[in-house]
Amino acid sequence: MEECQNLGLTKSIGVSHFPTKMIKEILSFANIPPAINQVEMNPLWQKKNLTKFCKENGILVMAYSPLGAVGNNAWGHNRVMESEVLQDIAKSRGKTVAQISLRWLYEQGVIIAVKSFNTERMKENLEIFDWYLTREELSKIDQIPQHRQVYLMGLLAIEHSDVLVEIDAELDGGN
């Protein structure tokens, strides 16, 4: 990829699903660091350590599945949209849960990859730029237990178990 960039065939190099440990490894030998790291990220899977490390090293973070990939039967989930914390904040602000989640991501300084085919939801998704989450709301979101949906050998594992904790620690340095 560095050769492609040197030849002018690409403007920058990006990675996807790279945890902190893998990015550290790349940075140890790469002449051109990755410009962006695309990862699953939402209020229920915040990736704080990874986001911090990327920012410290000038790597942009792009969040995919910011709403948990609702409606994707293959691997998506509704847990973001069903979060009581997010629902309470949305209700008190007169916003949707999606808007709260997207605004939270925006305030984290990450690029948001949102997908919708519904015109009204597309408009709502753009209505996140003229307001801010309060410190109290941010604190509540920070307190949301971190879980992600993982497939192990064809089985769906939602709650963290010792095995998932070990996998996550290995992949992302403890986050």
Side-chain angles (χ1 to χ4, degrees):
M1 291 306 299
E2 288 181 340
E3 185 63 23
C4 288
Q5 187 167 344
N6 289 334
L7 292 171
L9 300 174
T10 186
K11 291 184 180 184
S12 56
I13 299 169
V15 295
S16 183
H17 304 288
F18 274 47
T20 304
K21 183 177 179 179
M22 289 175 68
I23 295 176
K24 284 180 182 178
E25 185 176 335
I26 287 176
L27 294 176
S28 74
F29 65 83
N31 294 315
I32 302 171
I36 191 166
N37 185 14
Q38 182 185 50
V39 296
E40 178 181 1
M41 187 174 170
N42 57 58
L44 276 71
W45 193 235
Q46 296 180 11
K47 309 296 285 177
K48 292 177 186 179
N49 290 342
L50 176 63
T51 302
K52 180 181 179 213
F53 180 81
C54 285
K55 285 181 183 180
E56 289 170 351
N57 287 279
I59 301 169
L60 298 171
V61 174
M62 176 184 277
Y64 76 85
S65 295
L67 306 177
V70 176
N72 183 329
N73 294 332
W75 57 271
H77 59 81
N78 292 326
R79 290 188 337 273
V80 172
M81 302 303 283
E82 293 171 353
S83 165
E84 288 183 28
V85 171
L86 298 175
Q87 287 177 359
D88 289 346
I89 294 170
K91 184 177 179 181
S92 72
R93 295 296 295 266
K95 304 289 183 189
T96 67
V97 172
Q99 289 172 319
I100 299 300
S101 297
L102 296 175
R103 180 66 205 190
W104 176 83
L105 284 162
Y106 180 73
E107 290 187 25
Q108 303 312 299
V110 302
I111 299 165
I112 308 165
V114 155
K115 176 181 164 185
S116 180
F117 297 104
N118 180 296
T119 304
E120 288 305 311
R121 281 196 294 261
M122 286 187 245
K123 289 177 185 175
E124 285 177 0
N125 290 345
L126 291 172
E127 295 172 358
I128 65 165
F129 300 109
D130 60 349
W131 55 277
Y132 297 90
L133 292 166
T134 67
R135 286 185 197 175
E136 181 181 328
E137 291 164 339
L138 290 169
S139 178
K140 287 178 183 178
I141 293 170
D142 281 347
Q143 301 300 317
I144 294 174
Q146 297 298 288
H147 298 286
R148 70 175 168 155
Q149 191 164 286
V150 177
Y151 289 94
L152 296 173
M153 294 185 267
L155 301 173
L156 176 62
I158 295 176
E159 298 300 322
H160 272 254
S161 66
D162 290 340
V163 172
L164 292 177
V165 169
E166 285 183 38
I167 291 170
D168 288 340
E170 176 67 23
L171 289 177
D172 199 29
N175 185 23

